[in-house]
Structures are given as structure tokens and as C-alpha cells.
């Protein structure tokens, strides 16, 4: 079943409320996942990066080449380049060195684990 109708978001939001009120945690989690799926919402980091952009940024900042990042994340090098360009734009930087310097300021989670 393909869900792409935005009207599905309303019943999903109501389901979240009802399942939460009933204390049905598993059903609440399911309804939240469905709501994210139909609304197109994606989690973002404090820097506005998607989880995949965070992973790419962390690996590149640690010195990995695009080819190494692609291999680690099971994607192709062009996908890494795409995400890296988004990271540069969102962080207002232009080089891998700037990324590494910006990234060393804070502790980051394991990029592969998410």
C-alpha cells in the first residue's frame, strides 16, 4: 500500500493522541511513524542536517575520502558528493578542512549507528 495522500495525516495525528491517552506505547510509536511517513517530515539535527548528512559530515571530518564514505554507508560516491554539498551549504563552509574544524568543536555520535 502506497501512502502519499496528505489527508492521511489527520487520522494519523488523531491516532497518536488517542493511543497516547490510552497508554498504548507501541501503537503510539506506530502512529507517529505513519504520521512522519505521510507528512514527509524528516528529523534534523541542531545544525539543520538530516541524519544522513550528519553521517557523511562526521566521516569526512574524520578524514575519510568520498569513496571511503560511500563504502561505509553502502551508497555511491555521487550520493556522498550530494550530501556533502548540502552539508557545506547548510553550515556555510566550503572545504573539508573547514568541516573538520567545525566538527571537532562538539562531540558527535557514531556516524554509522546514527
Amino acid at each position: 500500500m502506497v501512502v502519499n495522500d496528505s489527508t492521511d495525516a489527520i487520522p494519523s495525528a488523531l491516532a497518536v493522541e488517542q493511543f497516547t491517552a490510552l497508554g498504548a506505547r507501541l501503537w503510539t510509536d506506530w502512529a507517529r511513524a505513519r504520521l512522519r511517513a505521510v507528512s514527509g517530515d524528516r528529523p534534523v539535527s541542531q545544525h539543520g542536517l538530516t541524519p544522513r548528512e550528519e553521517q557523511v559530515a562526521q566521516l569526512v571530518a574524520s578524514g575519510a575520502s568520498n569513496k571511503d564514505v560511500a563504502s561505509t554507508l553502502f551508497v555511491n560516491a555521487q550520493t556522498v558528493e550530494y550530501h556533502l554539498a548540502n552539508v557545506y551549504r547548510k553550515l556555510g563552509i566550503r572545504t573539508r578542512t573547514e568541516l573538520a574544524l567545525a566538527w571537532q568543536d562538539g562531540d558527535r555520535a557514531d556516524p554509522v549507528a546514527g
Side-chain angles (χ1 to χ4, degrees), residues 28-98:
T28 301
D29 292 345
W30 173 85
R32 281 190 181 122
R34 180 166 169 81
L35 182 59
R36 279 191 304 273
V38 298
S39 68
D41 287 346
R42 294 183 177 169
V44 293
S45 72
Q46 65 183 11
H47 305 290
L49 302 179
T50 66
R52 181 60 90 186
E53 290 166 352
E54 286 260 355
Q55 291 173 325
V56 169
Q58 174 64 37
L59 290 166
V60 169
S62 69
S65 68
N66 287 3
K67 185 176 178 180
D68 293 337
V69 173
S71 177
T72 300
L73 299 179
F74 302 103
V75 297
N76 66 45
Q78 291 172 327
T79 301
V80 173
E81 291 170 11
Y82 171 79
H83 289 304
L84 194 53
N86 287 337
V87 169
Y88 287 174
R89 180 180 48 79
K90 289 177 179 181
L91 298 182
I93 58 177
R94 293 195 257 172
T95 67
R96 294 170 95 85
T97 303
E98 288 180 45

